[in-house]
Amino acid sequence: MNIGFVGVGKMGLPMARNLVEAGHAVTAFDLASAAVAAAVENGAAAADSAAAASAGADVVITMLPAGGHVRDVYGPSDGIIETVSPGTLLIDCSTIDVASARAVAAAARQSGLDMLDAPVSGGVSGAEAGTLTFMVGGEAAAFESARPILAAMGKTIVHAGASGNGQVAKICNNMILGVSIIAVSEAFTLGQKLGLDAKTLFDISSNASGSCWTMVNHAPVPGIVETAASNRDFKPGFATAMMLKDLRLAQQAAESVAAATPMGAQAAALYTLFSNAGNDDLDYTAIIKMIAGE
Ligand code: NAD
């Protein structure tokens, strides 16, 4: 298939490479010329605008920083929506606000185009390994058309329902992650201050009612879970800046529907403090350092 790929940064580049390796003809555009050059080194053709990358494509994939960038590249004028041929499938894999995802998909629909929001989890290592999880919002038929394309870049591909629901799934999941790492960090800090060995607490709690995915997979104390970032000086993994971005998107979405998310709000506030102290590039589990007063 001919695939236009817009935004070949840390995530987009390895995703585009996996599409090339799966036999697709990929045409890449990025505002950063170095990113386009890297895509070309990985087998893509270069385009000099988002519209040029999309012209004649069967599928267009975007992987951009935020909602504003996505709204810009798709339209309203000289954008992807205006440029592509009828029948082109549009897939935005960026993590963006729910309102922008729904607005751009509605604009695409008005022009007779199918558009999916398909944010990912799995990070750069998942993008490189082709093992990303895609959470997809949009029409069921469009989802089925997208599945083989997404399968070249990911392992788990889930249809979350109507437009925007991929973004909803992503921010709800990451709000759980943000809240639960804070709970785990508080408990392990308290246990240690009271004289309980962290590994002993882990052995008890991971088999008891306090167990949760974050503790079992990303224990924030070193020497417990071998693959956890705490064992490599909190090198990410999933960076604090990304966690804060997702927690803020969750708060923005919660406000839009008057949902009370007090724990999510508290997590966003704590990650803002941690980020402001210069920790954006540490793994999100490093927040235990702030909680422990280090
Ligand atoms: P990045 O900054 O490395 O890449 C984004 C790219 O988009 C950059 O190369 C930038 O030059 C380009 N860009 C920006 N505006 C553009 C425009 N108008 N036209 C063309 N290109 C433009 O970011 P990333 O880490 O690759 O993240 C991309 C998306 O994936 C974000 O929404 C992020 O939240 C999400 N995400 C990232 C990770 C991660 O671990 N990095 C994990 C999951 C999801």
Side-chain angles (χ1 to χ4, degrees):
M1 281 205 183
N2 288 325
I3 300 180
F5 206 116
V6 180
V8 278
K10 288 190 286 295
M11 293 292 288
L13 177 65
M15 290 166 72
R17 181 194 308 135
N18 284 329
L19 290 169
V20 169
E21 280 172 10
H24 298 292
V26 176
T27 304
F29 172 67
D30 194 294
L31 285 181
S33 50
V36 177
V40 169
E41 268 171 40
N42 283 275
D48 58 8
S49 69
S54 316
D58 302 303
V59 177
V60 175
I61 299 176
T62 45
M63 193 51 165
L64 298 163
H69 307 93
V70 173
R71 290 196 306 272
D72 278 355
V73 301
Y74 279 96
S77 63
D78 295 334
I80 294 169
I81 291 175
E82 236 183 38
T83 309
V84 295
S85 321
T88 303
L89 176 60
L90 309 177
I91 309 175
D92 178 40
C93 294
S94 326
T95 301
I96 66 169
D97 60 289
V98 176
S100 290
R102 288 183 173 154
V104 177
R109 202 175 308 123
Q110 273 198 335
S111 297
L113 297 163
D114 279 323
M115 177 159 187
L116 300 168
D117 51 293
V120 304
S121 73
V124 176
S125 58
E128 283 169 350
T131 56
L132 292 169
T133 293
F134 286 92
M135 295 152 265
V136 186
E139 295 291 331
F143 171 73
E144 288 310 327
S145 308
R147 194 195 280 277
I149 305 286
L150 300 179
M153 303 179 284
K155 208 168 67 175
T156 307
I157 298 153
V158 189
H159 188 212
S163 241
N165 280 14
Q167 302 293 351
V168 175
K170 164 112 189 176
I171 57 174
C172 288
N173 181 72
N174 283 5
M175 190 171 79
I176 296 172
L177 186 68
V179 168
S180 60
I181 190 60
I182 291 165
V184 169
S185 297
E186 285 184 4
F188 276 76
T189 300
L190 175 62
Q192 280 180 304
K193 281 189 191 294
L194 292 170
L196 175 60
D197 172 62
K199 176 75 167 71
T200 306
L201 174 57
F202 179 85
D203 289 341
I204 294 167
S205 204
S206 61
N207 288 298
S209 49
S211 184
C212 63
W213 187 95
T214 326
M215 180 201 297
V216 172
N217 294 282
H218 289 175
V221 177
I224 297 177
V225 173
E226 204 186 317
T227 52
S230 53
N231 288 319
R232 30 172 224 275
D233 292 329
F234 296 104
K235 183 173 169 286
F238 183 45
T240 289
M242 289 285 163
M243 172 56 88
L244 179 56
K245 173 187 175 181
D246 293 354
L247 288 170
R248 284 182 173 157
L249 287 174
Q251 286 308 291
Q252 190 183 341
E255 195 159 313
S256 74
V257 289
T261 54
M263 303 300 285
Q266 192 66 11
L270 287 168
Y271 271 99
T272 300
L273 280 174
F274 194 53
S275 162
N276 288 349
N279 297 305
D280 270 353
D281 295 333
L282 290 183
D283 190 69
Y284 79 105
T285 56
I287 198 150
I288 193 170
K289 298 205 293 181
M290 187 175 81
I291 288 166
E294 285 174 20

